């Protein structure tokens, strides 16, 4: 069984699958970049850190919020953003756009310093 490039082996250990960057489908070769863009359309992923922060801070993600986040990230992607702060009523979601992954979150009440580093863009929801 494989999930996000990590395979679960029979003895319970995990191994990383090797990807050459190209896939053969029907005689056509597809570039790694195209595969990455296609997988990005599948929806946002949440890192373990982000999931933990959401749980600690009581941030609930429903289908409407998820749709809004995906739309915001897609807009940022079209503008060339790499690391974006998506700011909304529920809080702030820091997203790594190329990996389509929410890396951390904070609620409105957690934003005491109101300083964000290592982002290149912000989207207001």
């Amino acid at each position: 069984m494989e999930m996000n490039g990590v395979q679960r082996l029979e003895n319970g250990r995990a191994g990383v699958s090797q990807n050459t960057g190209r896939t053969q489908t029907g005689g056509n070769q597809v570039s790694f970049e195209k595969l990455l863009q296609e997988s990005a359309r599948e929806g946002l992923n949440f890192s373990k850190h982000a999931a933990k922060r959401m749980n600690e801070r009581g941030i609930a993600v429903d289908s409407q919020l998820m749709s809004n986040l995906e739309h915001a990230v897609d807009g940022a992607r079209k503008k060339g953003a790499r690391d974006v702060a998506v700011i909304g009523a529920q809080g702030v979601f820091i997203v790594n756009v190329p990996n389509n992954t929410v890396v951390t979150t904070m609620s409105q009440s957690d934003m005491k310093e109101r300083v964000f580093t290592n982002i290149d863009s912000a989207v207001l929801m």
Side-chain angles (χ1 to χ4, degrees), residues 41-94:
R41 292 187 192 115
E42 292 178 11
L44 287 176
N45 299 309
F46 288 81
S47 69
K48 288 181 183 180
H49 176 78
K52 180 180 176 186
R53 293 292 180 247
M54 287 173 35
N55 188 35
E56 290 173 355
R57 295 170 175 162
I59 301 171
V61 178
D62 59 13
S63 60
Q64 182 64 42
L65 176 58
M66 193 65 166
S67 175
N68 291 345
L69 281 171
E70 289 172 350
H71 182 71
V73 171
D74 192 44
R77 179 178 289 110
K78 288 177 183 174
K79 295 285 187 175
R82 294 189 50 79
D83 293 294
V84 63
V86 180
I87 305 166
Q90 297 86 351
V92 178
F93 300 82
I94 306 297

Side-chain angles (χ1 to χ4, degrees), residues 34-45 70 73-74 77 97-100:
K34 183 164 177 76
L35 288 173
L36 186 59
Q37 288 173 350
E38 288 173 4
S39 69
R41 292 187 192 115
E42 292 178 11
L44 287 176
N45 299 309
E70 289 172 350
V73 171
D74 192 44
R77 179 178 289 110
V97 177
N99 294 331
N100 217 38

Side-chain angles (χ1 to χ4, degrees), residues 1-3 6-9 15:
M1 181 168 142
E2 183 174 331
M3 183 175 185
V6 177
Q7 294 178 336
R8 184 170 185 103
L9 303 176

Side-chain angles (χ1 to χ4, degrees), residues 10-25:
E10 300 269 335
N11 61 5
R13 295 183 327 185
V16 177
S17 64
Q18 297 295 318
N19 188 344
T20 62
R22 289 191 234 177
T23 300
Q24 194 98 13
T25 55

